[in-house]
Amino acid sequence: MTYEPYEIIGADRPARWLVTCDHAANTVPPFVNGGQLGLAKGDMNRHIAYDVGAAGLTRYLAEALDAPAILSNFSRLVIDPNRGEDDPTLLMKLYDGTIIPANRHAGPEELEKRLNACYRPYHTALAELAARRPDTVILSVHSFTRQLQGRAPRPWHVGILYAADARLSVPLIRRLEQEHDLCVGENEPYGGHLPGDAIARHAIAHQRHNTLVEVRNDLIETDQHQKEWAQRLAPILQEALASCVD
């Protein structure tokens, strides 16, 4: 079977929304160190390798919004598609206290191979989907771990991230804050965006409405929980978009 670095769902769906999932999979392609990074299975199944639960949430959100979706098919530890090509964390050698053996001595040649085989095809496909209509809205779906090693537990259930363009994110935050059972993070657990990341590249550079949603991964571990969160978030996202001024 030929390796594909991304998956597209519902390419012909009509909505303005384009749902993206940069860290959908923990896949290590066979051309990367024989298909493994030298990590234990437990490490490959936790947040350092991918965004746990985000792929399922993306699929259900795209269905609920009648929108296309694109999901990566390579671990963020292979190469991180949510970084600019000149970002020093593009190819991580250490993450949350864990050394990545197959990356430890990876040099420019290995980086270029992974860029060409994984990173660049994903971004090319994302760019083509985003350009399918002039008023595309990009919804980037991620998840975060409840607690990093040696850190305090994170209280948020969901976080909304933005930096240069808050047109959609701020109304979305205010609407989510009306859900009294949710602890909502504004630029939490991370702050805004990084220069050259996926939102900067495909949304901000083209003045497209956008937002990045982070759901705590213990809340979307099961298929049923992913579906429930998608059904809850979809109408809230639509309300927030309807309140935006283009």
Side-chain angles (χ1 to χ4, degrees):
M1 185 180 294
T2 303
Y3 169 74
E4 296 291 343
Y6 59 85
E7 178 185 4
I8 293 173
I9 301 167
D12 296 328
R13 289 174 181 164
R16 289 180 66 184
W17 297 96
L18 169 58
V19 190
T20 69
C21 192
D22 299 326
H23 301 142
N26 59 359
T27 306
V28 181
F31 52 81
V32 176
N33 200 49
Q36 56 89 28
L37 296 173
L39 291 173
K41 183 177 180 180
D43 282 325
M44 289 303 299
N45 285 330
R46 67 189 186 97
H47 72 97
I48 65 169
Y50 73 124
D51 282 357
V52 177
L57 178 59
T58 296
R59 295 174 193 278
Y60 283 123
L61 270 172
E63 181 180 9
L65 295 168
D66 202 17
I70 182 168
L71 301 89
S72 68
N73 186 32
F74 50 93
S75 172
R76 71 201 306 167
L77 299 178
V78 170
I79 193 165
D80 194 333
N82 196 34
R83 298 289 186 272
E85 287 199 21
D86 59 350
D87 192 304
T89 64
L90 185 64
L91 198 160
M92 295 288 284
K93 299 176 186 290
L94 176 71
Y95 193 3
D96 194 21
T98 298
I99 294 171
I100 318 305
N103 293 352
R104 191 169 185 175
H105 302 295
E109 183 177 340
E110 179 65 20
L111 174 60
E112 190 68 14
K113 180 175 76 172
R114 298 186 196 183
L115 282 167
N116 287 330
C118 299
Y119 180 103
R120 289 171 181 151
Y122 171 76
H123 281 289
T124 296
L126 201 167
E128 290 172 355
L129 279 173
R132 80 199 191 284
R133 54 183 294 168
D135 59 349
T136 293
V137 179
I138 294 182
L139 167 61
S140 182
V141 176
H142 293 255
S143 72
F144 64 95
T145 187
R146 184 169 189 173
Q147 187 172 14
L148 294 170
Q149 291 189 29
R151 306 285 185 89
R154 292 160 161 171
W156 311 284
H157 300 107
V158 59
I160 307 300
L161 276 56
Y162 65 90
D165 182 359
R167 291 174 297 168
L168 175 55
S169 294
V170 168
L172 177 58
I173 291 165
R174 300 300 167 246
R175 175 60 184 82
L176 284 167
E177 288 173 341
Q178 297 173 23
E179 303 287 304
H180 298 300
D181 60 331
L182 294 182
C183 180
V184 181
E186 183 167 355
N187 280 329
E188 298 287 0
Y190 311 106
H193 300 288
L194 298 169
D197 68 10
I199 287 289
R201 181 171 180 169
H202 299 288
I204 293 170
H206 301 274
Q207 298 183 318
R208 294 176 176 129
H209 282 305
N210 67 89
T211 193
L212 191 154
V213 176
E214 293 259 7
V215 179
R216 207 175 71 205
N217 63 22
D218 62 314
L219 303 177
I220 51 170
E221 286 181 329
T222 69
D223 181 80
Q224 183 61 32
H225 290 152
Q226 293 156 15
K227 186 175 184 178
E228 289 170 357
W229 268 89
Q231 291 172 340
R232 183 176 192 178
L233 288 173
I236 294 173
L237 285 158
Q238 298 282 39
E239 287 178 37
L241 180 60
S243 73
C244 287
V245 177
D246 286 325

